[in-house]
Amino acid sequence: MSLRALDRKMLRDLINMRGQATAICLVMACGLATFVMSLVMLDSLERTLNAYYEGHRFPHVFAHMERAPMALRERIAAIPGVARVETRVVEQVTLDMPGLAEPAVGRLISIPERRRPELCRLYLRAGRYPERGGRREVLVSDAFADAHALRVGDRVRAILNGRLDELHVVGIALSPEYIYQIKPGDVLPDPLRFGVFWIPEPELAAAFDMEGAFNDVLCSLRAGGSAAEVITRLDRLIDPYGSLGAYDRDDQISHEFVTNEIRELKGTAVVAPIIFLFVAAFLLNVVISRLVTTQREQIAALKALGYGRREIGNHYLKLVGVILVVSVLLGGGAGLWMASGLTALYAQFFHFPVLEMHVEPRVLVLAAAVSGLAGYGATATAVRRAMRLPPAEAMRPAPPPVYRPTILERSGLQHLLSPAARMILRQLERRPLKAALSCLGIAMGAAVLVLGAFMEDAVDYAMELQFEVVQRHELTATFVDTRGPEALAEIRHLPGAGHVEPFRGVAVRLRAEHRSRRVGIMGLEPAGELFNVTDLDGKAIPLPDEGLVLSTKLGEILDVRVGDPVTVEVLEGKRAVRRMAVGALVSDFQGVSAYMNRRALNRVLDEGPRISGVFVDADPVAHATLFRRMKEMPMVAAVTLKDAALQSFRDTMGEMIMRMRAFNIGFAVIIAFGVVYNSARISLAERSRELATLRVIGFTRAEISMIQLGELAILTLLGIPLGLVIGFAFAWMTTNAFDTELFRIPLVVERSTYASAATVVLVAAAISGFVVRRMLDRLDLVAVLKSRE
Amino acid sequence: MTRDTGVEHPPARRPPAGADDGVVFEARDVRKVYHMGEVDVHALRGVDLDLSTGEFMVLLGPSGSGKSTLLNILGGLDVPTSGTVRYLGHDLTEDDDRALTRFRREHVGFVFQFYNLVPSLTARENVALVTEIARSPMRPDEALALVDLEDRLNHFPAQLSGGEQQRVAIARAIAKRPDVLLCDEPTGALDVETGVVVLEAIERANRELGTTTAVITHNAVIADMADRVVSLSGGLVSNVRLNETSVAARELKW
Ligand SMILES: Nc1ncnc2c1ncn2[C@@H]1O[C@H](COP(=O)(O)OP(=O)(O)OP(=O)(O)O)[C@@H](O)[C@H]1O
Ligand SMILES: [Mg+2]
């Protein structure tokens, strides 16, 4: 016998409670899996990001302007704190992609000739660097290449400065600037309709009359250099050249999305594991307490035989330890598996040269520590009780539990209750804390389900709001420059065009005291129908005649309230500086926006009735021809189609949401089942003697099942509504956690979400009930009555 | 888990010099009070009792008279409220939990009225529980052979009759070759014949291994087996009777 008798007992006890132990392991493993997954992803993302930024020289400060002379470059380089400077020409073009009815937007970025870029170096995935020679050789971003199955040697038709031209793809590249490749203003990347191209500088400059000039500048900082100071000095230098204002990494859109994801992973690494570990700890607590209670006399006997407190304590700690070790192995494995799946999914959104899953051993150690803390924390009291159990005391049979008439009975309603109902109620009332915790555990299952489905509800709601209520138009056309009212008339006369409304968009910097923010002000028609500014409830916010309407988030960033003044520094044209009042704040769910009455905006800009683009409502049948006609107009820089945007959103988000949903349902079922099954098992163990006695004196199986399952049913029925409330609270917490500049999640929980959460928990309860019923049917009357409880 | 604590405890079976009839236990004015809320229950009210080496003592007395309390105190399972209990001259009442555990581990064998076997362990494993931590134990199968259970080694308690379970409990108690064997109503739940088998096992331990033995019983007939019969009543020793000749378990009838 190599295994000591006490360890054999431990293993056999475990086998005896395998159902419960499995449930606990699974719940705990879920928590550890999300924990490991988020930490591994966090590590992988951060490491990859830092290495990429470092190796490919991601700048610290960015600025775009209309046209600056090359001579400025030296002066920018001389700004204290600046390490490296790169100047470029960046132009937006319309692409004509086969298979796409509407035009795609291409961004052409110049690359220096005969040297590598100082900053934002490219990673060449395939092909070679383009050479100058009038052939329009370009590198294309891998996202766009993948979306259109472009290969080296392919051609892309583009309108360069009003002239149709062909770009020759000679390579496929990635840039740290476009890890998240998204068109400014979009919610999600749309690789079909937005692509980045790199082209030799002389060619791009020639095509856009930018020889000897640049319109985009990148700076990196020396160690210890302050981005804010460099921005101030840089702004002073580039201001005369039509600058839109310099900004740092925080405002760089790709960086913003990546860091946002990192922030969310940090949230996930904390919130989800807490829920699961709480439930697992609760289950462990109940099961181990129960075990110590049932084994009271065994413990006493062991002590009488000469086993000490420490040995008794170790015995139970080992038992808990086995459960924890299995949980850690299971959870760690699942976490790594999920992380590798997520890595693949991330690769679709984040374009790194390589995104490798990186597993720090520290993560697994941390997971083990967390589970140890939760597991041993939850069982410490029970184990201490076992250790302290006075052996003499335990040799006496435990006094019968104290039952009292229930409140219902004391209030004189006992005639309403059958003996079975009384037994159920008395049991619940005798252990109110345990009943409450079981109820809470069941509630957690429902809550996790609500939380999981809520994300989908919220996204659906946001999409509907955005595409049905806010954007009532089918198409948006943006002009190359601002135009007069004649442009509006021109579009109106296109065949198929329905209602057409103009808008004026302008880049500004808003200042309130020392806080400032670069945004675009969208000037809308006061009584417009095609673009409605609404809050999260879909309530329209009327545009005031004067003054700005800001996103609530923007109000927070600038720390302004309705009525407060803000300074508007226009970053285009005459670069007017005006003080304006905040007319209204609107709680929207995406980005930070500013809206104004278009006429008021025209006045602020000291211009006539200029417009930057139009919203068009069109008969769906006419869409195709309308697109074609519009993209052929030289004044039109870009056309976007709402349906296409919506479709691409569905495509990209769909998969993500489906996966999240599958995980959430799996998790919730495990929690719900784990809790229900455990409470059922425990109360069966506590009352098997009583139930066996009832059977012996003539109760039928159905009748004793009633007693046993009745308790389960009551706990489940109380737990579900509680869980729905907690789920709503979780959803609320999530909306707060996700309250970033990029997104706000509306707090919307559909009824169907509540219904399906309740259903899943009920089904889990029913299955547990069925298992318990089968155990009751097999209840060995003789064995139960023979054993001393 | 340390098998050998290294700390010296009074050695076994070495009566103090000068004692012609070695005294194992020496209880003086032992009192035990349980505080039950408002009321104090005086389980023992000043018991004086000696137990000599190799002696077979039977404790008689009505229910609630304090028999179990006394036995538990002698065996180091419990501590008296006042008074002293010496084991081979060593005062047990001074001992802390750790020392009492060692005392039980090294010197005492317990047999309980309700067997108290570990249900998830086989007969052999239940005995192994003790042999694994004792200083010079028998092998588990040896101990089980002493109670005629050599062919039930791998049975779980649920697969044994009450008498067989009690014999496993006795094997478990004697396997460590204890210096004292304390039995609380070992036959309480058994019929006559099974009771006799169990008593024979105890008797054998006493006669063949020389184990000092104390047995609690409600059955006055069993008292005939004893060298000495001590009666308790209301927490006090009410009567002590010496048996000239003790009857073998086999001859008992009730
Ligand atoms: N842990 C305890 N708490 C309170 N009272 C106790 C406790 N243990 C024993 N008693 C009381 O002490 C008295 C003596 O109990 P003890 O168990 O020693 O009696 P006994 O002689 O063994 O009785 P029985 O023959 O019924 O086993 C009884 O009145 C009992 O109720
Ligand atoms: Mg007793």
Side-chain angles (χ1 to χ4, degrees):
Chain A
M1 264 201 284
S2 54
L3 210 55
R4 309 204 49 184
L6 208 54
D7 292 334
R8 274 163 196 267
K9 165 181 176 312
M10 185 267 290
L11 290 179
R12 296 212 181 109
D13 286 344
L14 261 178
I15 291 171
N16 243 330
M17 49 187 258
R18 60 191 173 274
Q20 288 160 286
T22 310
I24 294 170
C25 283
L26 285 178
V27 174
M28 185 161 275
C30 286
L32 295 175
T34 43
F35 184 74
V36 167
M37 179 201 74
S38 359
L39 287 190
V40 165
M41 287 320 294
L42 207 56
D43 276 344
S44 310
L45 259 189
E46 278 182 334
R47 279 174 70 103
T48 309
L49 189 69
N50 291 339
Y52 193 26
Y53 277 4
E54 190 100 344
H56 288 76
R57 298 193 184 166
F58 185 61
H60 294 96
V61 174
F62 311 76
H64 193 77
M65 61 228 76
E66 272 163 23
R67 181 194 173 95
M70 206 47 98
L72 200 63
R73 183 179 172 137
E74 294 301 307
R75 296 179 59 197
I76 295 173
I79 294 175
V82 168
R84 289 197 173 85
V85 174
E86 185 59 88
T87 55
R88 325 185 285 186
V89 177
V90 176
E91 299 290 347
Q92 205 99 309
V93 300
T94 301
L95 305 171
D96 181 14
M97 299 306 297
L100 270 191
E102 70 286 7
V105 172
R107 176 171 293 178
L108 296 191
I109 299 177
S110 70
I111 42 175
E113 261 206 312
R114 277 185 282 280
R115 69 172 172 88
R116 299 176 66 194
E118 280 292 312
L119 292 166
C120 273
R121 290 189 161 169
L122 302 178
Y123 174 87
L124 202 59
R125 165 149 295 161
R128 58 169 174 84
Y129 277 91
E131 276 163 21
R132 179 183 179 184
R135 284 189 63 238
R136 296 268 189 262
E137 290 188 353
V138 295
L139 296 174
V140 59
S141 60
D142 79 324
F144 192 72
D146 286 348
H148 289 281
L150 289 177
R151 271 174 309 179
V152 172
D154 284 351
R155 284 144 201 251
V156 176
R157 282 152 58 87
I159 297 165
L160 266 67
N161 207 11
R163 284 187 303 273
L164 185 64
D165 216 327
E166 266 196 342
L167 307 176
H168 287 217
V169 175
V170 297
I172 293 169
L174 288 84
S175 160
E177 226 182 332
Y178 294 102
I179 292 172
Y180 198 77
Q181 186 176 309
I182 187 169
K183 200 165 57 179
D186 278 3
V187 193
L188 273 172
D190 184 357
L192 264 182
R193 290 174 192 83
F194 179 64
V196 182
F197 296 83
W198 290 272
I199 180 166
E201 180 163 15
E203 289 196 35
L204 190 59
F208 285 86
D209 306 319
M210 291 291 285
E211 281 118 332
F214 63 89
N215 65 5
D216 197 83
V217 61
L218 312 170
C219 306
S220 65
L221 298 178
R222 283 179 204 290
S226 143
E229 260 165 49
V230 169
I231 286 174
T232 314
R233 287 170 189 263
L234 181 60
D235 270 346
R236 229 172 278 152
L237 284 181
I238 59 181
D239 223 38
Y241 304 103
S243 152
L244 299 180
Y247 53 94
D248 63 5
R249 283 184 179 182
D250 289 345
D251 282 335
Q252 207 271 341
I253 194 144
S254 158
H255 181 81
E256 212 178 336
F257 270 90
V258 181
T259 45
N260 200 52
E261 184 64 33
I262 288 174
R263 205 168 323 123
E264 278 166 22
L265 277 174
K266 281 183 182 155
T268 317
V270 176
V271 179
I274 285 180
I275 298 175
F276 287 105
L277 291 178
F278 167 80
V279 175
F282 157 67
L283 293 180
L284 254 180
N285 173 286
V286 173
V287 168
I288 300 300
S289 301
R290 171 68 202 161
L291 189 70
V292 168
T293 307
T294 7
Q295 298 194 342
R296 212 173 99 98
E297 290 165 18
Q298 294 182 40
I299 297 166
L302 287 172
K303 286 194 170 173
L305 297 179
Y307 283 90
R309 287 183 182 202
R310 274 249 300 284
E311 289 156 321
I312 299 289
N314 281 339
H315 174 66
Y316 288 100
L317 291 180
K318 266 192 217 169
L319 187 137
V320 174
V322 172
I323 293 179
L324 294 182
V325 166
V326 172
S327 305
V328 170
L329 293 180
L330 218 61
L336 294 180
W337 175 73
M338 279 157 60
S340 74
L342 200 58
T343 308
L345 195 65
Y346 271 14
Q348 291 175 20
F349 287 90
F350 299 113
H351 300 275
F352 290 106
V354 266
L355 177 54
E356 261 176 11
M357 190 170 104
H358 175 83
V359 184
E360 288 268 6
R362 166 180 67 82
V363 171
L364 299 176
V365 172
L366 212 58
V370 164
S371 86
L373 212 67
Y376 285 124
T379 51
T381 323
V383 173
R384 207 171 308 126
R385 190 154 54 83
M387 291 169 71
R388 294 234 177 106
L389 193 76
E393 189 109 346
M395 298 326 308
R396 302 157 42 84
V402 185
Y403 284 94
R404 295 186 305 164
T406 59
I407 297 172
L408 225 55
E409 292 169 273
R410 272 174 273 148
S411 59
L413 296 169
Q414 66 268 35
H415 57 278
L416 294 178
L417 298 171
S418 65
R422 270 182 236 173
M423 285 178 71
I424 295 170
L425 289 181
R426 285 180 197 162
Q427 171 86 0
L428 289 174
E429 245 191 70
R430 189 169 72 81
R431 309 276 298 276
L433 185 67
K434 212 199 80 190
L437 284 175
S438 301
C439 204
L440 194 63
I442 294 171
M444 282 298 177
V448 169
L449 277 166
V450 170
L451 180 61
F454 147 75
M455 297 289 272
E456 205 178 328
D457 286 352
V459 169
D460 276 353
Y461 176 84
M463 283 300 102
E464 206 178 297
L465 188 68
Q466 181 70 11
F467 290 109
E468 310 282 326
V469 181
V470 176
Q471 302 184 10
R472 302 289 287 269
H473 51 276
E474 299 295 324
L475 293 123
T476 310
T478 326
F479 300 147
V480 177
D481 292 311
T482 59
R483 301 269 153 168
E486 73 287 347
L488 186 61
E490 218 176 306
I491 304 266
R492 277 204 177 117
H493 285 117
L494 290 176
H499 187 54
V500 180
E501 267 174 30
F503 64 85
R504 173 71 168 108
V506 63
V508 300
R509 189 193 295 278
L510 298 182
R511 271 187 207 283
E513 293 172 17
H514 61 281
R515 295 169 294 275
S516 76
R517 193 78 198 170
R518 277 165 35 98
V519 291
I521 296 182
M522 177 65 111
L524 297 167
E525 290 303 285
E529 285 165 15
L530 295 184
F531 192 103
N532 295 311
V533 179
T534 65
D535 65 13
L536 276 179
D537 303 328
K539 198 171 75 206
I541 306 291
L543 287 178
D545 289 343
E546 303 286 332
L548 286 161
V549 176
L550 304 181
S551 297
T552 307
K553 191 75 195 174
L554 186 53
E556 275 169 31
I557 293 167
L558 296 173
D559 194 17
V560 291
R561 269 160 287 278
V562 172
D564 287 355
V566 288
T567 307
V568 179
E569 300 173 17
V570 178
L571 298 171
E572 299 174 0
K574 295 173 192 158
R575 311 182 76 73
V577 177
R578 294 279 146 76
R579 275 175 82 74
M580 289 172 69
V582 177
L585 291 174
V586 53
S587 52
D588 46 9
F589 64 86
Q590 166 211 337
V592 289
S593 320
Y595 303 98
M596 263 186 92
N597 182 319
R598 179 178 64 85
R599 306 239 164 84
L601 183 58
N602 283 148
R603 276 198 298 281
V604 166
L605 296 172
D606 199 10
E607 62 184 11
R610 306 295 291 179
I611 59 175
S612 347
V614 288
F615 300 122
V616 184
D617 196 13
D619 192 332
V621 204
H623 279 177
T625 37
L626 198 55
F627 299 140
R628 208 169 330 112
R629 294 294 294 273
M630 277 167 71
K631 75 175 173 180
E632 279 163 6
M633 298 172 83
M635 69 172 181
V636 173
V639 187
T640 43
L641 172 70
K642 188 172 79 177
D643 283 349
L646 193 56
Q647 190 52 47
S648 108
F649 180 84
R650 296 242 153 92
D651 290 348
T652 30
M653 281 307 271
E655 188 187 359
M656 186 111 105
I657 288 178
M658 284 310 289
R659 280 192 202 207
M660 296 292 286
R661 167 143 241 194
F663 277 131
N664 274 312
I665 291 186
F667 286 166
V669 167
I670 287 172
I671 285 197
F673 189 78
V675 173
V676 176
Y677 175 75
N678 259 297
S679 3
R681 279 301 308 254
I682 296 271
S683 77
L684 179 63
E686 278 174 352
R687 281 199 295 178
S688 55
R689 209 175 160 72
E690 191 177 305
L691 296 173
T693 311
L694 289 178
R695 285 276 286 122
V696 170
I697 64 177
F699 277 66
T700 65
R701 278 182 184 156
E703 280 162 341
I704 63 161
S705 300
M706 261 293 295
I707 295 171
Q708 196 56 22
L709 298 179
E711 185 183 344
L712 185 62
I714 288 179
L715 290 177
T716 308
L717 293 181
L718 289 176
I720 287 176
L722 181 65
L724 300 184
V725 172
I726 296 176
F728 185 80
F730 281 165
W732 178 78
M733 275 157 55
T734 312
T735 59
N736 283 338
F738 280 66
D739 184 28
T740 66
E741 267 184 54
L742 290 175
F743 298 112
R744 269 85 56 193
I745 298 179
L747 183 54
V748 182
V749 186
E750 295 293 337
R751 260 189 222 143
S752 60
T753 295
Y754 289 129
S756 63
T759 309
V760 171
V761 174
L762 274 178
V763 170
I767 295 173
S768 307
F770 177 74
V771 173
V772 170
R773 173 71 209 252
R774 287 206 11 193
M775 288 192 287
L776 281 176
D777 287 351
R778 282 198 247 115
L779 195 63
D780 183 345
L781 300 182
V782 181
V784 171
L785 293 176
K786 224 167 83 175
S787 72
R788 277 181 75 233
E789 255 281 325
Chain B
M1 217 182 317
T2 45
R3 273 159 189 251
D4 210 328
T5 53
V7 182
E8 266 309 304
H9 218 272
R13 257 180 239 118
R14 214 177 297 145
D20 48 338
D21 198 7
V23 176
V24 183
F25 281 115
E26 211 180 319
R28 290 293 172 268
D29 194 25
V30 171
R31 292 166 190 274
K32 179 77 184 177
V33 185
Y34 292 107
H35 304 286
M36 301 288 291
E38 299 290 285
V39 268
D40 285 350
V41 178
H42 293 263
L44 297 175
R45 298 168 182 271
V47 171
D48 293 316
L49 186 73
D50 284 358
L51 206 57
S52 326
T53 310
E55 185 181 14
F56 193 126
M57 183 190 81
V58 161
L59 265 174
L60 281 178
S63 185
S65 55
K67 305 181 295 293
S68 298
T69 306
L70 179 61
L71 201 74
N72 288 344
I73 289 173
L74 291 181
L77 278 183
D78 209 348
V79 283
T81 312
S82 68
T84 54
V85 178
R86 290 178 187 283
Y87 172 76
L88 299 180
H90 173 88
D91 190 353
L92 289 178
T93 53
E94 306 269 281
D95 279 356
D96 59 2
D97 176 76
R98 184 187 286 256
L100 282 179
T101 300
R102 205 164 58 233
F103 165 66
R104 295 195 297 265
R105 176 185 292 206
E106 289 168 6
H107 305 289
V108 187
F110 274 105
V111 178
F112 313 102
Q113 179 176 359
F114 296 104
Y115 332 137
N116 287 72
L117 298 179
V118 174
S120 53
L121 295 181
T122 61
R124 186 214 298 266
E125 290 160 352
N126 260 289
V127 178
L129 273 177
V130 164
T131 58
E132 280 170 3
I133 58 169
R135 272 187 176 171
S136 54
M138 317 173 188
R139 287 196 322 277
D141 42 346
E142 243 181 289
L144 283 162
L146 281 179
V147 293
D148 295 328
L149 280 178
E150 56 270 55
D151 49 350
R152 310 298 294 271
L153 295 178
N154 294 320
H155 286 68
F156 285 94
Q159 299 165 325
L160 297 171
S161 75
E164 286 160 348
Q165 289 184 53
Q166 191 60 299
R167 274 143 70 196
V168 175
I170 290 167
R172 187 173 66 176
I174 60 179
K176 70 165 83 162
R177 304 182 206 275
D179 302 312
V180 288
L181 181 60
L182 305 176
C183 312
D184 195 345
E185 300 188 42
T187 59
L190 305 177
D191 63 62
V192 180
E193 254 153 71
T194 331
V196 168
V197 177
V198 167
L199 287 172
E200 272 184 320
I202 295 173
E203 184 178 51
R204 215 197 268 180
N206 177 253
R207 302 273 179 260
E208 293 175 14
L209 305 172
T211 313
T212 309
T213 307
V215 175
I216 292 180
T217 180
H218 279 287
N219 191 339
V221 177
I222 294 175
D224 293 342
M225 281 176 68
D227 300 322
R228 189 156 57 116
V229 182
V230 175
S231 300
L232 283 188
S233 154
L236 285 168
V237 176
S238 59
N239 185 31
V240 178
R241 184 183 96 212
L242 285 174
N243 284 340
E244 290 298 309
T245 49
S246 48
V247 181
R250 189 120 298 281
E251 268 110 62
L252 293 177
K253 287 201 179 55
W254 71 86

